[in-house]
Amino acid sequence: DAGITQSPRHKVTETGTPVTLRCHQTENHRYMYWYRQDPGHGLRLIHYSYGVKDTDKGEVSDGYSVSRSKTEDFLLTLESATSSQTSVYFCAISALPGLPEGTEAFFGQGTRLTVV
Amino acid sequence: QKEVEQDPGPLSVPEGAIVSLNCTYSNSAFQYFMWYRQYSRKGPELLMYTYSSGNKEDGRFTAQVDKSSKYISLFIRDSQPSDSATYLCAMSVGSSASKIIFGSGTRLSIRP
């Protein structure tokens, strides 16, 4: 995989607790993204970052916040976890040579989160 | 109605067959069209991308875009058991990541 590490890979947490997922890259790419993947919904963008301290919302951002204090790290926080946030979370970075900048191409292995 | 529609399958074909995977979309502003392959419990990996209409070939894979019909296809020739995976189409209006929309994915199985 193209220098992306997600941690943890699996987590079970209780409703109402805060949870932070970490994405670490070694590619020095400017853009980083958090997606969630659920059956029947494909990949849905939660938040993305276009530089250190520069972030923006995706289509399903409610209940999530992000931070990027260094180029290589992008954190996703579930402020108060709910059962509807049980999902597989993917981090992605861009881009391949020749693709327009901002088009994600490399995904991490995913974090499987269960909220009970 | 979803912006991108993709038949979830599953699709099962014998080894060596030609596979056709398709997506339809409703937003005529989409300009970039991509296909990702995802193996079980792995992250998606980019297979091919196409800008605007036309065909693109890479080995056994061919991507086609028909913007007039709002229809994209991925063809796999001489399919192999290692091609068994979920295939996701994705498309975007421009270079802004927030505009990239994924299909729900088609699960493909190649029988030896």
Side-chain angles (χ1 to χ4, degrees):
Chain A
D1 294 314
I4 310 173
T5 305
Q6 290 185 231
S7 58
R9 293 292 312 279
H10 302 272
K11 185 168 182 68
V12 180
T13 192
E14 292 186 349
T15 299
T17 61
V19 177
T20 296
L21 309 182
R22 179 180 183 238
C23 178
H24 178 79
Q25 62 146 330
T26 57
E27 305 296 318
N28 200 35
H29 282 321
R30 180 181 172 195
Y31 288 78
M32 299 183 76
Y33 317 86
W34 277 107
Y35 286 89
R36 60 178 289 175
Q37 187 173 36
D38 305 288
H41 289 279
L43 286 157
R44 291 182 291 176
L45 183 66
I46 305 171
H47 281 280
Y48 70 106
S49 169
Y50 46 94
V52 174
K53 297 196 170 129
D54 293 321
T55 64
D56 205 350
K57 296 178 180 180
E59 59 180 305
V60 290
S61 59
D62 287 348
Y64 301 95
S65 62
V66 290
S67 66
R68 191 169 179 198
S69 57
K70 298 186 289 185
T71 298
E72 57 267 34
D73 289 324
F74 192 33
L75 304 180
L76 176 71
T77 297
L78 287 66
E79 292 140 10
S80 176
T82 67
S83 58
S84 64
Q85 293 176 312
T86 292
S87 186
V88 180
Y89 291 85
F90 285 101
C91 174
I93 63 174
S94 64
L96 280 172
L99 283 179
E101 187 178 27
T103 304
E104 62 271 33
F106 298 112
F107 282 78
Q109 295 281 60
T111 295
R112 193 169 294 270
L113 176 69
T114 303
V115 182
V116 298
Chain B
Q1 183 192 6
K2 292 182 180 180
E3 278 192 282
V4 178
E5 298 278 2
Q6 185 175 8
D7 188 334
L11 181 62
S12 180
V13 302
E15 184 176 354
I18 296 175
V19 176
S20 172
L21 303 168
N22 311 294
C23 287
T24 59
Y25 62 95
S26 57
N27 188 348
S28 58
F30 285 138
Q31 295 275 28
Y32 298 94
F33 303 91
M34 293 150 276
W35 286 96
Y36 284 82
R37 178 175 62 195
Q38 185 176 22
Y39 292 113
S40 180
R41 296 188 174 267
K42 299 285 188 182
E45 56 178 330
L46 181 68
L47 263 182
M48 299 184 71
Y49 89 96
T50 310
Y51 172 69
S52 195
S53 283
N55 294 359
K56 188 170 184 178
E57 190 173 319
D58 184 2
R60 297 184 295 111
F61 298 90
T62 300
Q64 282 186 355
V65 175
D66 182 348
K67 292 189 73 178
S68 62
S69 301
K70 298 191 182 69
Y71 189 87
I72 71 169
S73 300
L74 177 71
F75 298 95
I76 307 174
R77 292 183 299 280
D78 187 24
S79 56
Q80 305 293 311
S82 59
D83 295 328
S84 297
T86 296
Y87 289 79
L88 299 111
C89 62
M91 42 199 84
S92 72
V93 172
S95 61
S96 169
S98 64
K99 297 291 192 288
I100 293 179
I101 307 296
F102 282 83
S104 55
T106 298
R107 194 149 50 96
L108 173 67
S109 175
I110 308 297
R111 306 188 303 270

